[in-house]
Amino acid sequence: MADSSVLLAAPRGYCAGVDRAVVTVEKALDLYGAPVYVRKQIVHNKHVVADLESRGAIFVEELDEVPEGQTVVFSAHGVAPSVHAQAAERALKTIDATCPLVTKVHHEAKRFADQDYDILLIGHEGHEEVEGTSGEAPDHIQLVQGPGDVAGIVVRDPAKVAWLSQTTLSVDETLETVAAIRERFPLLLDPPSDDICYATQNRQLAIKEIAREADLVIVVGSGNSSNSVRLVEVALEAGAKAAYRVDDAAEIDESWLEGVKTVSVTSGASVPEELVDGVLAFLAERGYPDAQAVHSAEESLIFALPPELRRDLRAASAS
């Protein structure tokens, strides 16, 4: 196809928190043997979950599905203190794979609650991360899903209001919601550092850069992945003519390519690179050339594995 091009966002795919969570389950399976139970999806990607299931991981919705005394991994999205308490009651061996950036938001929630602030948590109702953060200070936290919720906010003292956010939101949308809250509560207190994770921000900046001139943007990611869904929205806002989210190349509709010269490709923070490779191969078979990577940020952050797993790995290697 003459004059056609494929632009590939960099960075894309796995972030440090997702990588740590997936490796945690893999190493737990190697160390303890199957089965290893995982509460909720370890990360929001159906291919990753299916791969870990094939190795012996058993995914459950709640801890009462885990036999007493078994090993259970908590997902990257974090859990409320009540879940830790329930695990202790049932003598479960727990490995907490909560992303350290989510843990940071939990600490901020506790600190604001200790100072008796009303906390406005910007996020999506029902998302596991929101449930975990809310559980840290349920009497102090109320959910704000967007600017439309701001008029209905009720607080005890307008001078003691703080905000936090889910780490995987659109940066621009979050700032819009914060601005609307601040109009109502001028003394609104910001979190000590940005809650939206570095990887979410970097992937949004990267897609903005390659979406402007794109006839089509393909975002690889699962439907329950908040950051993947946001990437589609960000691409359209940045000027892409069309943008779609797919789990893998099999979900691409050939009709999307009609009249398309420039295709831009990216992936959410919980997507293995082989799924992106599959999309690029699909495009190559249809006359689109090798992808040109467009670098907008370098990522070098690595998180250590959960301490309880590191301890057991050390003990195993010493024996």
Side-chain angles (χ1 to χ4, degrees), residues 123-185:
H124 298 295
E125 188 169 8
H127 191 280
E128 287 144 52
E129 188 187 321
V130 163
E131 291 175 354
T133 301
S134 299
E136 293 289 353
D139 297 338
H140 289 263
I141 290 178
Q142 54 187 302
L143 183 62
V144 179
Q145 297 200 76
D149 287 355
V150 172
I153 295 170
V154 177
V155 299
R156 294 165 300 156
D157 178 356
K160 291 205 77 174
V161 183
W163 71 273
L164 297 172
S165 85
Q166 186 181 323
T167 62
T168 53
L169 300 181
S170 152
V171 178
D172 296 338
E173 278 180 37
T174 303
L175 293 176
E176 189 187 332
T177 304
V178 171
I181 296 170
R182 203 178 300 282
E183 250 176 57
R184 272 204 66 195
F185 307 106

Side-chain angles (χ1 to χ4, degrees), residues 39-287:
R39 184 184 179 275
K40 309 286 188 184
Q41 289 194 355
I42 185 69
V43 297
H44 284 159
N45 185 272
K46 72 177 192 182
H47 289 280
V48 172
V49 168
D51 179 56
L52 292 171
E53 280 178 332
S54 74
R55 300 189 198 191
I58 297 176
F59 290 87
V60 298
E61 281 300 302
E62 297 300 343
L63 292 185
D64 56 16
E65 299 169 57
V66 182
E68 289 211 4
Q70 289 288 327
T71 298
V72 63
V73 179
F74 294 145
S75 84
H77 307 103
V79 298
S82 58
V83 177
H84 285 281
Q86 189 190 357
E89 277 168 27
R90 305 201 57 243
L92 300 176
K93 177 182 176 63
T94 61
I95 299 171
D96 190 354
T98 301
C99 173
L101 299 177
V102 174
T103 301
K104 175 179 76 77
V105 179
H106 285 206
H107 290 322
E108 290 166 355
K110 285 187 279 194
R111 197 169 58 80
F112 282 145
D114 287 345
Q115 295 168 355
D116 206 27
Y117 274 80
D118 277 312
I119 303 164
L120 307 178
L121 176 59
I122 302 170
H124 298 295
E125 188 169 8
H127 191 280
E128 287 144 52
E129 188 187 321
V130 163
E131 291 175 354
T133 301
S134 299
E136 293 289 353
D139 297 338
H140 289 263
I141 290 178
Q142 54 187 302
L143 183 62
V144 179
Q145 297 200 76
D149 287 355
V150 172
I153 295 170
V154 177
V155 299
R156 294 165 300 156
D157 178 356
K160 291 205 77 174
V161 183
W163 71 273
L164 297 172
S165 85
Q166 186 181 323
T167 62
T168 53
L169 300 181
S170 152
V171 178
D172 296 338
E173 278 180 37
T174 303
L175 293 176
E176 189 187 332
T177 304
V178 171
I181 296 170
R182 203 178 300 282
E183 250 176 57
R184 272 204 66 195
F185 307 106
L187 298 177
L188 180 71
L189 192 61
D190 295 323
S193 63
D194 199 343
D195 282 349
I196 295 177
C197 100
Y198 77 96
T200 298
Q201 295 191 48
N202 285 349
R203 279 148 192 71
Q204 288 174 16
L205 287 170
I207 196 58
K208 281 180 184 177
E209 203 159 302
I210 64 170
R212 289 188 196 101
E213 309 300 323
D215 299 311
L216 170 67
V217 170
I218 296 174
V219 175
V220 187
S222 287
N224 62 341
S225 163
S226 176
N227 74 84
S228 298
V229 173
R230 297 289 85 69
L231 285 171
V232 175
E233 296 168 358
V234 170
L236 291 169
E237 284 162 13
K241 293 185 179 67
Y244 299 97
R245 180 203 55 75
V246 297
D247 260 294
D248 50 45
E251 293 186 359
I252 298 174
D253 186 331
E254 299 241 8
S255 68
W256 298 346
L257 299 173
E258 285 169 20
V260 164
K261 291 240 185 288
T262 303
V263 183
S264 292
V265 178
T266 190
S267 60
S270 46
V271 175
E273 189 62 11
E274 69 217 40
L275 299 178
V276 176
D277 292 341
V279 168
L280 298 179
F282 176 97
L283 293 170
E285 285 163 12
R286 284 149 187 82

